[in-house]
Amino acid sequence: MPIELEDLENIAHLARLHLSEEEKSEAASSMSNILKLIDQMQSVDTDNVTPLAHPLDSVQRLRDDEVTETNKRDALQKIAPETDQGLFLVPKVIE
Amino acid sequence: MIDSGLAQISRALAAREVSSVELTQEYLARIEKENSNLNAYITVCNELALEQANAADAVRSKGEAGAFTGIPIAHKDLFCTAGIRTSCGSRMLDNFISPYDATVVERFKQAGAVTLGKTNMDEFAMGSSNETSFYGPVKNPWDHSLVPGGSSGGSAAAVAARLCAGATATDTGGSIRQPASFTGLTGLKPTYGRVSRWGMVAFASSLDQAGTLTQSAEDAAMMLNVMAGLDQKDSTCSDVSVDDYTAGLDKPLKGLKIGLPKEHFSEGLNAEVEQCIRDAISEYEKLGASIQEISLPNSHLSVSAYYVIAPAEASANLSRYDAVRYGYRCENPVDLEDMYKRSRSEGFGAEVKRRIMVGTYALSAGYYDAYYRKAQKIRRLIKDDFQQAFEEVDVIIGPTSPHTAFPIGAQNDDPVTMYLEDIYTIAVNLAGLPGMSIPSGLVNGLPVGLQIVGRDFSEAQLLNVAHQFQLATDWHTKTPDNQA
């Protein structure tokens, strides 16, 4: 199934990616090929099959709700692009 | 000494024939000489390595050394290492210095291992040739015009060129086994959940698993002894009891039932590679195993299902790269959306963006049932195929890859061609099973890999099956310089 330009732009926006015109035409052709590969799945009837979400069919292990982490704000913010007084800075959101 | 395998090095250290500092200096000197050519390491940790080696020798002189004390290894550059850059092969994390160690890294530190450096890889582990790395392709030590395989190509090249005693790696669709096959190494991908994923940069969380690249099965067993086991920091890490993986290596194979999946011996398999695999099967018969043909009828759907599940999980995992808390941020963003979009577009390479797009599409409104849910149903069929086969046989063997290593640049025109590289390995990840690749021959002077797949948590058996083959043959001792 070929991908329409409009779909492609919508997916890029959802993924917060900016594609150049050149990247868009490459993406349209490679994604169409990938979707062709993926569509081979449709050849099998899976109506009565239960989806497998975890490879060993396991469920999440639970633990007691206890505080185990200490505050490491300074160490974690040291690698941030921009911070101020313990806050992460981003371009202005509210006028 | 540094040409020897990890187990041999461990014995030499124990016998005081060599010190950890001497070994580390030798490795660092060889890395200095060879790495500019091979591009196996992204980061080399000269000072840290010598510091750890000194500490290991001190521990030994106090009589407190363990089997791993002082052994120099390398980590794939997606295991977080406190104070050392963890790039994941991406511009996005080129400036990322983790504040903490991954559990795998922490366990090797506790065991006294020496960290020589961080190895090159396909960007975010997405690739089968190590060509998508922001730091450039890795060369195959067997022939520098060829790829080492991927995504753990740097770890494979580093071990194959004897630039470390062994290396950690990860496998989401074949990223340990295929490079092992292309570089003449023993690669081990444990069962999903056998090793903690905490501190491993996530690609596809229901498939990712940490493992090893080494010269032999005995070496792999020693590494898995350090890595395996429950970790409270990873809720998907299994609490199934851990074996002593070196203890069962010597068990004879008499009575072992081996299954050959007929789907792995069909069109597309190179005839000379097939001959090597057939010879290996004869060897196993000589060792007392019985061979029977089995069928994995849905295996032809594994690549399709994988290229829904892996990109879908990747698109969710990689949404964390928002240029706010860490990682690459573009110059002069005009507003928040511009910052997100330009940072991600400039920080990610083409293949990573492609997979994010595919995954976002598969998860988007109206397509979820047709793609993600359908793929999870196929995943069940694939798991059921294996379970049925394991009612009749103990292990399944076949080729790891349909051919030997290919030239750098040869498979870049259509991403689907590259995706089909992992045709024999991907189903194993979908089913969560443990798998290995061991050297089983040479075709035109290039290594061929034999894949061995077992039941959930049967790593001890796989290592035993691999080790017995390596006692009977010498393919695992071949190197680019010594193929005789």
Side-chain angles (χ1 to χ4, degrees), chain B residues 17 26 93 114 116 145 253 268 294 325 360 411-412:
Chain B
E17 287 162 19
E26 263 192 83
L93 292 175
V114 171
L116 291 167
S145 70
L253 297 187
I294 56 151
R325 294 153 302 151
T360 305
Q411 304 220 7
N412 291 338

Side-chain angles (χ1 to χ4, degrees), chain A residues 1-5 7-8 11 27-40 42, chain B residues 361-362 364-367 370-371:
Chain A
M1 180 171 66
I3 282 253
E4 303 292 332
L5 187 64
D7 287 336
L8 201 70
I11 301 162
S29 102
S30 68
M31 276 185 71
S32 296
N33 285 347
I34 295 166
L35 292 178
K36 216 186 294 167
L37 169 79
I38 289 171
D39 278 334
Q40 288 173 14
Q42 310 303 339
Chain B
Y361 180 76
S364 63
Y367 294 108
Y371 290 116

